Structure formats: structure tokens, C-alpha cells
């Protein structure tokens, strides 16, 4: 169940927050990619290969390949091989029979150079394309189009994005203390499980810790003030996320039942409306200071403030961390190359006697491991954008004409294995982003933009782009100041050796 829930949430936009009274963490010196320069005259103009197939039949065939016969990564790799191109036409689910209003036709962009066009707001727009042409019902968010579905050209986007940035900035007062306090509780429970049962299936324990930490940091609300929310709040968000995303997410179990029942129709919001109303009332009551600030300082209505705040908390922050942190912990816990010893040494010797927000600046290996995990396992597998106008799109090899209105789609984990950018792209290389390797951060896309750019009201980059890796670094450093070693996977911990 935990594994299935993690997969169902894997489309959610990764977002969290910094936590220091100081400004955002220092930015790398590498320059970010630009799509504004004209295509190289040496690149040939090529017709986009591939096709959408016959009406109905083409989308159904691609849907079965994507979800059943091949899976997403093989789906894209086979078409790259077939068309000898990282840019091609194809169909992306959901599609017929019960998605008559959804157009599955996309232009896939699967190398770093073509992928960069998805974030150039002069040539693309992001209106209602968070998960492609399919948009979950606004009933899931109180009939409010939340910020994730707004394009920067819409006036409301700036209001909500600035509100989100303000939430993150103000959370700095409690971010670090809440993070460490809740992860202390998490590891104590893991220790007890291992002592009593021999292992700890820690996913739900982790989600409980994440939920409480984020709710207090972002909303200023203490879940312990509501016993039901404290006990079940994380599960409410799991269900709410899952029903929105099921039509788009590959689970990979129990076919053909998965295809028949999970991908054939959009789930109605009333199935989770009771849970959602409880979360809304909790935020309205316990987070009233933040809600009031959204109204008085950013010109949002109470409903807009609450539903956007709940989306940031549940979809972006909780959903993103619930996907990424198990992968990060599992990557470290399953390593047999001696990486743990090196991380332990750096976490204990660098950054002073106690963890602070500046500690991780002195931990280049810890930072690089986090970035490398984000490269190979970005929390958001697919990125979309719609052409705002006709333009020329460049890959490494060719130039293609894109027409206004066409939907572009990038499968992010494959893009991040671009062999023209990353040496040994399929390998996990802990030191990849150390030293001169930090220049590669301009090609690291996991947050709706490159790591070397900054979120603002004029773009769609994750408001917490700098804070997610900072927080992940703190979690790793905290783990290796507590333990000498840890053994397990992305779903369970089987052994720990406490620090001597």
C-alpha cells in the first residue's frame, strides 16, 4: 500500500521551504540554459517525426504501451530509438473512452536542450497543464484554480506566487527546529520498530513526521490541537492526492485491473470531500494568522487563501517530500560502496558542533548526493507546457517548427540522463556536482526550471526550489550524526548502528 501511494503521488510538484532567518541559500555560479538565442545555423531543420495514429486507436495503443506493455521509461526510449530523435510526436494518457475532452497529442522533448524550452515563459504557457491536457476537477480544491494551474500572464498568479514565497520566508523562524524535532521522533520510532520487530516499514511514520513539520512551518498550525488531524491528516492528503492523479500515474501492478479501473475515468471529488472539508476547517481555525495575511497583504479572498495554502501544503510540499525522501533514504541505506562512511565523516566534521542552515554549505558531498538523487529520481516525472506562439525548438541535433497551441511534454528522469550533458548518465555518481561539477547544476531540472535560476512571480519555478535540497541535506546530516550506519530500502529500514 505504501509503495502504491508513493507512485500515485509521484506527479506532484516538489516544494518545501528554507528555514533560516537569512536569505535563500547561496546560488551556484553556473549559468542557466537559455532558449532565447537563435538556433545554431549548423543544425538542420527537420520535420518532427512520429504521429498520433488513427483517431481513438492511436491514443488507445499508446496508452496501453505507456501503462501496460512497456511502462513510461521504455515507452519513451523505444520511440527515441525508432525515430532516431529525442523530439517526436506521440500520445500521453489519459485518453478515450471516458476522457472525451482531453487531447492526448503531445510533442515529446527528451534531451536537456529541447527540454529547456518548457520553462521559457516568452514562448510557452502553463495554463491548466500541470498534468498535461487533463485537469482534475476544481472541486478537489474548493472550486478554486490554484496557483499550479495558473499561467504567469494571469494577474492572479503573481498574487498567489508572492503569497507562497512569503509563506516560505516567514517559516524560517520555526523550520529548522520543527524539522529536527520531528525527525528525532521519526528515528526513535524506527529504532523501536527494529528492536521489537527486526525492521521498520517507515513510510507512514515518515509521512506523519513530514505532515506535522510542514503544517507547523508553513501554516503555523499545530496538528496536536486536533486529534483527528494529528492522527489521520497525512492519510487524508494521501487519498486526496491519489484521486486527482490516478488517471495519469503508472502503478505497474495487477494488470489488466489497473488499466480498467485506475486509468479509464476521472475519480469524483465527493469521495474525499469529507476529508478535504476537515482539512479546510483545520487551516481556517489553526492557521488564521497566515490566512489573514493572504487576505490583507496579497489581496486574496479567504477561500483563495485557504485552498491555495492547502494545495501548497498537501500537493506541493507533502506530496513532493513523500516521494523524494524515501528515494533519498533508500539510496543511502542500500549503498554498499562506502558512501555512508564518507557522508558520516563530512556530516560530523564539517559545519560546526550543531546543525544550522549554514552547516550544509560546508558539506559538498552531502549536497552533491542530494542533487544526484534529484537528477536520477526527480519527484515530478513529467513536465508540460503549451506553445504560446509559433517558434523554433532546438535539440542537440536538429531544429523543429512548433505551432502555437501544441502541447510539449518532457519525461524528466530520461532528460536528466542526457549523455551529451552527463558523463555515465545511468550511474549514480555521488561526486557529480562537486567542484567544477557544480556547473552541471544549470542542467539539473527537477523544479519546473534549472537549479541555477530563481523562482519569481514571472515564472513557474517551484517557490521552494532552493529549500528542498537544503532540507534534504539537513536530513542526511542529521541522520549521520545520529547513526554510524543504516541499512534498508526506500520502504523499510532493517538495521541501524547508533553513533558511538
Amino acid at each position: 500500500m505504501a509503495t502504491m501511494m508513493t507512485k500515485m503521488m509521484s506527479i506532484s510538484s516538489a516544494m518545501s521551504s528554507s528555514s533560516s532567518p537569512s536569505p535563500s541559500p547561496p546560488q551556484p555560479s553556473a549559468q542557466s540554459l537559455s532558449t532565447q538565442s537563435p538556433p545554431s545555423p549548423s543544425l538542420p531543420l527537420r520535420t518532427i517525426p512520429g504521429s498520433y495514429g488513427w483517431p481513438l486507436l492511436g491514443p488507445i495503443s499508446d496508452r496501453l504501451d505507456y501503462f501496460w506493455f512497456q511502462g513510461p521509461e521504455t515507452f519513451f526510449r523505444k520511440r527515441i530509438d525508432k525515430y532516431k530523435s529525442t523530439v517526436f510526436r506521440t500520445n500521453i494518457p489519459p485518453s478515450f473512452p471516458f476522457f472525451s475532452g482531453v487531447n492526448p497529442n503531445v510533442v515529446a522533448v527528451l534531451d536537456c536542450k529541447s527540454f529547456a524550452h518548457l520553462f521559457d515563459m516568452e514562448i510557452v504557457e502553463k495554463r491548466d497543464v500541470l498534468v498535461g491536457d487533463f485537469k482534475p476537477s476544481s472541486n478537489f480544491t474548493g472550486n478554486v484554480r490554484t496557483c499550479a494551474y495558473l499561467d504567469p500572464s494571469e494577474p492572479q498568479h503573481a498574487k498567489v506566487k508572492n503569497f507562497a514565497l512569503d509563506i516560505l520566508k516567514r517559516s524560517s523562524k520555526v523550520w529548522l527546529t520543527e524539522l529536527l524535532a520531528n525527525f528525532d521522533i521519526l528515528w526513535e520510532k524506527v529504532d523501536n520498530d527494529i528492536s521489537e520487530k527486526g525492521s521498520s516499514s517507515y513510510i507512514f511514520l515518515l509521512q506523519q513526521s513530514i505532515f506535522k513539520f510542514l503544517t507547523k512551518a508553513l501554516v503555523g498550525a499545530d496538528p496536536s490541537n486536533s486529534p483527528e488531524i494529528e492522527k489521520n491528516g497525512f492519510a487524508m492528503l494521501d487519498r486526496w492526492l491519489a484521486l486527482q492523479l490516478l488517471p495519469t500515474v503508472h502503478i505497474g501492478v495487477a494488470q489488466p485491473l489497473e488499466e480498467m479501473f485506475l486509468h479509464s475515468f476521472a475519480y469524483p471529488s465527493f469521495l474525499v470531500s469529507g476529508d478535504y472539508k476537515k482539512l479546510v476547517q483545520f487551516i481556517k481555525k489553526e492557521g488564521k494568522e497566515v490566512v489573514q495575511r493572504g487576505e490583507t497583504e496579497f489581496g486574496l479572498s479567504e477561500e483563495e487563501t485557504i485552498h491555495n495554502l492547502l494545495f501548497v501544503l498537501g500537493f506541493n510540499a507533502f506530496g513532493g517530500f513523500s516521494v523524494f525522501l524515501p528515494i533519498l533514504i533508500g539510496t543511502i541505506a542500500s549503498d554498499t560502496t562506502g558512501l555512508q562512511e564518507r557522508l558520516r565523516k563530512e556530516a560530523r566534521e564539517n559545519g560546526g558542533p550543531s546543525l544550522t542552515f549554514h552547516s550544509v554549505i560546508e558539506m559538498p558531498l552531502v549536497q552533491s548526493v542530494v542533487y544526484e538523487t534529484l537528477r536520477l529520481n526527480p519527484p515530478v516525472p513529467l513536465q508540460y507546457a503549451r506553445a504560446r506562439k509559433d517558434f523554433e525548438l532546438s535539440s542537440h541535433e536538429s531544429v523543429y517548427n512548433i505551432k502555437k497551441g501544441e502541447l510539449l511534454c518532457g519525461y524528466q528522469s530520461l532528460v536528466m540522463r542526457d549523455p551529451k550533458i552527463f558523463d555515465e548518465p545511468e550511474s549514480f555518481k555521488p561526486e557529480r556536482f562537486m567542484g567544477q561539477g557544480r556547473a552541471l547544476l544549470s542542467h539539473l531540472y527537477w523544479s519546473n526550471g534549472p537549479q541555477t535560476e530563481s523562482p519569481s512571480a514571472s515564472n513557474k519555478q517551484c517557490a521552494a526550489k532552493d529549500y528542498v535540497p537544503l532540507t534534504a541535506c539537513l536530513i542526511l546530516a542529521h541522520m549521520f550524526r545520529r547513526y554510524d550506519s543504516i541499512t534498508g530500502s526506500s520502504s523499510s529500514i532493517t538495521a541501524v548502528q547508533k553513533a558511538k
Side-chain angles (χ1 to χ4, degrees):
M1 176 64 183
T3 301
M4 181 178 292
M5 187 60 65
T6 299
K7 288 186 176 183
M8 285 191 287
M9 294 189 303
S10 64
I11 192 71
S12 64
S13 302
M15 176 175 182
S16 77
S17 169
S18 170
S19 44
S20 116
S22 59
S24 300
Q27 295 299 299
S29 59
Q31 296 299 309
S32 56
L33 292 173
S34 171
T35 64
Q36 294 303 301
S37 58
S40 169
S42 62
L43 293 178
L45 180 64
R46 182 182 179 189
T47 299
I48 300 173
S51 71
Y52 303 127
W54 291 96
L56 300 182
L57 296 180
I60 289 177
S61 176
D62 285 343
R63 167 186 156 176
L64 293 175
D65 280 347
Y66 185 89
F67 280 137
W68 190 349
F69 301 128
Q70 296 173 352
E73 183 165 328
T74 301
F75 175 90
F76 288 114
R77 286 190 184 275
K78 281 185 173 292
R79 284 154 181 77
I80 289 175
D81 292 340
K82 178 179 179 180
Y83 302 124
K84 308 302 180 188
S85 174
T86 53
V87 178
F88 53 84
R89 298 187 185 280
T90 189
N91 298 289
I92 291 294
S95 62
F96 184 82
F98 299 116
F99 295 93
S100 57
V102 177
N103 184 352
N105 302 165
V106 300
V107 176
V109 288
L110 300 175
D111 63 87
C112 281
K113 190 172 182 180
S114 63
F115 189 69
H117 294 77
L118 294 176
F119 315 107
D120 185 340
M121 292 297 101
E122 291 189 15
I123 59 176
V124 301
E125 64 171 335
K126 296 278 191 169
R127 182 185 176 92
D128 293 335
V129 295
L130 179 65
V131 288
D133 199 55
F134 168 71
K135 180 182 180 297
S137 170
S138 294
N139 290 332
F140 281 102
T141 52
N143 291 313
V144 170
R145 275 180 70 232
T146 54
C147 189
Y149 294 103
L150 299 175
D151 183 73
S153 64
E154 298 178 76
Q156 195 71 1
H157 180 270
K159 292 182 181 181
V160 183
K161 185 70 172 282
N162 285 328
F163 175 53
L165 291 168
D166 180 72
I167 292 169
L168 297 171
K169 180 179 178 181
R170 291 174 184 265
S171 71
S172 64
K173 298 177 182 178
V174 298
W175 189 269
L176 179 61
T177 54
E178 288 298 333
L179 175 70
L180 298 184
N182 279 285
F183 270 78
D184 276 333
I185 295 171
L186 167 67
W187 294 124
E188 287 173 7
K189 291 179 179 178
V190 168
D191 291 344
N192 290 336
D193 280 351
I194 293 174
S195 177
E196 296 174 4
K197 307 173 188 176
S199 67
S200 176
S201 298
Y202 68 93
I203 294 297
F204 291 147
L205 296 176
L206 176 65
Q207 286 194 316
Q208 285 179 314
S209 296
I210 294 170
F211 175 74
K212 188 169 184 179
F213 146 60
L214 289 171
T215 302
K216 294 184 76 171
L218 296 176
V219 186
D222 187 349
S224 63
N225 291 335
S226 171
E228 184 177 14
I229 297 298
E230 181 178 37
K231 180 180 179 181
N232 299 316
F234 79 97
M236 293 176 180
L237 288 180
D238 278 343
R239 292 188 289 267
W240 175 72
L241 283 163
L243 291 195
Q244 294 178 74
L245 302 176
L246 276 171
T248 69
V249 177
H250 172 252
I251 306 298
V253 296
Q255 291 286 18
L257 296 180
E258 176 185 334
E259 199 55 34
M260 293 168 60
F261 296 108
L262 300 187
H263 301 143
S264 293
F265 49 85
Y267 281 76
S269 63
F270 74 80
L271 295 174
V272 291
S273 61
D275 287 346
Y276 189 75
K277 288 176 182 177
K278 291 176 182 178
L279 290 166
V280 166
Q281 290 304 312
F282 171 74
I283 287 179
K284 184 175 182 180
K285 178 182 178 182
E286 302 296 335
K288 55 187 175 184
E289 182 180 337
V290 177
V291 173
Q292 185 177 32
R293 195 163 67 245
E295 297 178 75
T296 59
E297 297 186 24
F298 296 93
L300 301 171
S301 69
E302 182 182 67
E303 283 196 348
E304 289 170 335
T305 303
I306 290 174
H307 294 298
N308 273 287
L309 187 55
L310 187 47
F311 197 92
V312 168
L313 170 67
F315 202 104
N316 301 135
F318 174 80
F321 273 132
S322 292
V323 172
F324 178 60
L325 290 181
I327 294 172
L328 178 63
I329 293 170
T331 298
I332 303 304
S334 61
D335 183 80
T336 57
T337 67
L339 177 60
Q340 288 197 29
E341 182 178 353
R342 296 166 58 202
L343 289 170
R344 181 178 72 238
K345 185 175 187 294
E346 185 175 85
R348 295 181 186 180
E349 294 182 0
N350 297 18
S354 61
L355 285 177
T356 69
F357 301 105
H358 296 286
S359 294
V360 295
I361 297 174
E362 306 300 326
M363 300 179 190
L365 179 61
V366 169
Q367 292 179 62
S368 184
V369 165
V370 168
Y371 286 134
E372 181 71 340
T373 306
L374 282 167
R375 181 185 74 87
L376 289 171
N377 302 279
V380 183
L382 293 163
Q383 292 279 4
Y384 295 91
R386 195 177 300 281
R388 195 182 295 274
K389 59 183 180 180
D390 293 355
F391 69 91
E392 289 188 335
L393 178 145
S394 299
S395 69
H396 294 305
E397 310 292 344
S398 304
V399 176
Y400 305 89
N401 285 321
I402 301 295
K403 298 299 183 182
K404 179 180 179 180
E406 289 192 297
L407 187 64
L408 308 180
C409 170
Y411 186 62
Q412 196 154 266
S413 62
L414 194 56
V415 173
M416 292 293 91
R417 299 176 188 187
D418 186 340
K420 293 187 179 296
I421 301 297
F422 300 104
D423 181 45
E424 298 181 47
E426 301 293 333
S427 300
F428 180 85
K429 300 181 71 171
E431 307 87 354
R432 188 183 299 275
F433 294 99
M434 293 176 64
Q436 292 184 348
R438 288 185 69 83
L440 290 171
L441 291 173
S442 64
H443 301 280
L444 179 64
Y445 296 92
W446 64 270
S447 62
N448 226 338
Q451 182 61 30
T452 47
E453 291 190 0
S454 299
S456 71
S458 63
N459 64 31
K460 291 297 292 181
Q461 187 149 37
C462 168
K465 181 267 299 180
D466 296 319
Y467 313 140
V468 169
L470 171 65
T471 301
C473 287
L474 287 167
I475 290 169
L476 273 192
H478 177 258
M479 186 169 72
F480 280 110
R481 290 192 176 200
R482 181 184 181 95
Y483 299 117
D484 284 343
S485 66
I486 181 168
T487 304
S489 67
S490 61
S491 60
S492 67
I493 301 297
T494 56
V496 293
Q497 183 177 353
K498 292 187 178 181
K500 299 181 179 66

